[in-house]
């Protein structure tokens, strides 16, 4: 559950799964806008995103009354509301630390810019990488991070360095006044409470598949 | 919710979040085994994984009675049980399609092998990449996929090609008798019902952070 401070949505607790689905809905709504669709029913959002209609209504109801009973939702209005809920009604500056394969893949990932995430810089310690270009991004030396942050404040730091360097990088990001960290290093990092950390474990996605396959193919189980 | 066919665990429905936490618990238990710890209480698993103790007990209770009241769990036994539930009591062969940055990052990701995922091969269509080595993996031409699958059956296909090629790759994977697909392409792929697909959207992880930041920093909202 993600609980958030008293504010626009009171002190509601919202399941993380709801936020993930809101992200799905917003992509579907964006497609509808591109097609010129103006109204949509929850059943259509449901079938377009593979979620059941009751869940769609429940997810949206956490944040208020957006639809008209029997008529549905205004697509553009709902899209704008969902994007605002997701914090995507603005641009976020993102810095990637670690220009290995994963760091490069993330830095060049087109999906980010379309959702308002701007990769502001990529840092590494490897002299052979520093100065290289990833499209129009130059790989900068990690020693320049604090200086860069001073001149170009950023909100999100993405850690893609090996586990043993992750805490050191996290400490530098804290000094850089980062607000949130996405950590791909397979290690728990310690940061002050006010900084949100999300650990991404790429293996977990495979394990959600093998959980199901293991059940379907019990003959493989020793 | 992940529902699974009647079998060892009946027709229980298990929240996906439970499976993700089981994955966390298993890593913590592995660390305990390495340290020589033989017994563990749910409160210790909780504090070691950042989950509350009641949730730990509830997650494990989906699959039976593993612990002894007041005594806790035998670490090795619980580890073995959790790994079996996750389908990780065996090796899984994985093929990566698309040797771009993300495909290379995943192919070289050390976290996979430690959980029993063996990258069997990497495929691409780009002549300049084919024949190149990623450590001891050679990048093979996609035209060899069916032939490879015949000789080296694999269970999981990972799609890291651009969106417009994803369905074609999915079709090839189906012909290769794949059992599950991890799809990183930002597009919905159609496959027969018996094949499990998990779509990974790297942006969603950022959006779970901005959701919280947006609430904490409403002054940024226009």
């Amino acid at each position: 559950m993600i609980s958030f401070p008293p504010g626009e949505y009171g002190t509601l607790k919202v399941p993380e799964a709801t936020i993930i689905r809101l992200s799905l809905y917003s992509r579907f709504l964006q497609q509808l806008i591109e097609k010129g669709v103006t109204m949509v029913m929850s059943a259509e959002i449901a079938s377009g995103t593979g979620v059941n209609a009751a869940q769609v209504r429940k997810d949206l109801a956490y944040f208020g009354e957006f639809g008209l009973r029997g008529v549905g939702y205004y697509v553009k209005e709902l899209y704008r509301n969902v994007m605002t809920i997701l914090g995507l009604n603005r641009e976020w500056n993102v810095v990637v630390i670690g220009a290995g394969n994963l760091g490069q893949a993330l830095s060049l990932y087109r999906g980010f810019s379309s959702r308002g995430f701007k990769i502001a810089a990529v840092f590494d310690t490897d002299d052979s990488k520093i100065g290289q270009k990833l499209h129009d991004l130059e790989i900068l030396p990690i020693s320049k991070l604090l200086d860069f942050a001073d001149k170009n404040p950023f909100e999100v730091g993405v850690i893609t360095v090996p586990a043993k360097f992750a805490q050191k990088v996290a400490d530098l990001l804290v000094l850089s006044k980062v607000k949130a960290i996405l950590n791909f290093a397979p290690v728990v990092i310690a940061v002050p409470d006010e900084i949100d950390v999300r650990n991404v474990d790429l293996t977990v996605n495979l394990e959600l598949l093998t959980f199901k396959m293991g059940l379907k193919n019990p003959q493989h189980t020793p």
Side-chain angles (χ1 to χ4, degrees), chain A:
Chain A
M1 299 291 254
I2 296 177
S3 55
F4 38 84
E8 203 180 341
Y9 307 117
T11 52
L12 255 178
K13 289 198 175 202
V14 178
E16 191 170 286
T18 289
I19 308 303
I20 293 172
R21 283 189 297 266
L22 287 177
S23 178
L24 270 179
Y25 305 154
S26 70
R27 284 151 213 265
F28 178 68
L29 294 168
Q30 191 175 17
Q31 289 169 20
L32 292 185
I33 291 170
E34 282 160 17
K35 286 182 195 156
V37 178
T38 55
M39 296 294 296
V40 65
M41 304 288 288
S42 53
E44 294 167 88
I45 301 176
S47 71
T49 56
V51 174
N52 76 62
Q55 185 70 61
V56 171
R57 287 190 294 271
K58 191 177 164 191
D59 287 337
L60 294 173
Y62 277 109
F63 303 97
E65 271 293 336
F66 297 122
L68 301 166
R69 200 172 294 273
V71 179
Y73 304 91
Y74 287 104
V75 175
K76 276 192 184 166
E77 189 187 302
L78 184 60
Y79 174 75
R80 209 164 39 232
N81 278 316
V82 172
M83 291 298 273
T84 302
I85 291 166
L86 291 172
L88 297 181
N89 54 341
R90 52 160 287 178
E91 194 174 78
W92 297 94
N93 288 299
V94 179
V95 155
V96 175
I97 317 284
N101 282 304
L102 185 60
Q104 294 196 25
L106 293 171
S107 301
L108 298 171
Y109 189 60
R110 293 206 190 95
F112 288 150
S113 62
S114 69
R115 302 288 283 180
F117 296 105
K118 191 186 163 226
I119 307 289
V122 185
F123 292 87
D124 206 296
T125 53
D126 181 348
D127 281 340
S128 73
K129 283 181 186 154
I130 291 162
Q132 275 186 35
K133 288 263 189 176
L134 301 173
H135 288 194
D136 45 357
L137 280 171
E138 192 183 341
I139 301 174
L140 303 174
I142 189 84
S143 57
K144 295 256 176 84
L145 178 62
L146 294 186
D147 191 41
F148 178 90
D150 243 12
K151 291 170 190 145
N152 313 275
F154 56 88
E155 293 87 18
V156 184
V158 179
I159 300 180
T160 59
V161 299
K164 61 182 167 181
F165 302 125
Q167 185 59 52
K168 204 167 242 176
V169 167
D171 294 343
L172 276 174
L173 286 171
V174 172
L175 291 174
S176 305
K177 302 196 172 65
V178 80
K179 294 193 172 72
I181 293 175
L182 196 60
N183 176 31
F184 282 88
V187 65
V188 174
I189 53 171
V191 297
D193 276 350
E194 66 271 21
I195 298 175
D196 287 315
V197 176
R198 187 163 175 83
N199 296 300
V200 182
D201 186 327
L202 293 168
T203 316
V204 166
N205 289 296
L206 278 173
E207 295 176 10
L208 284 159
L209 287 171
T210 55
F211 167 73
K212 290 196 260 185
M213 285 195 291
L215 290 161
K216 281 188 193 167
N217 306 283
Q219 69 274 20
H220 291 297
T221 314

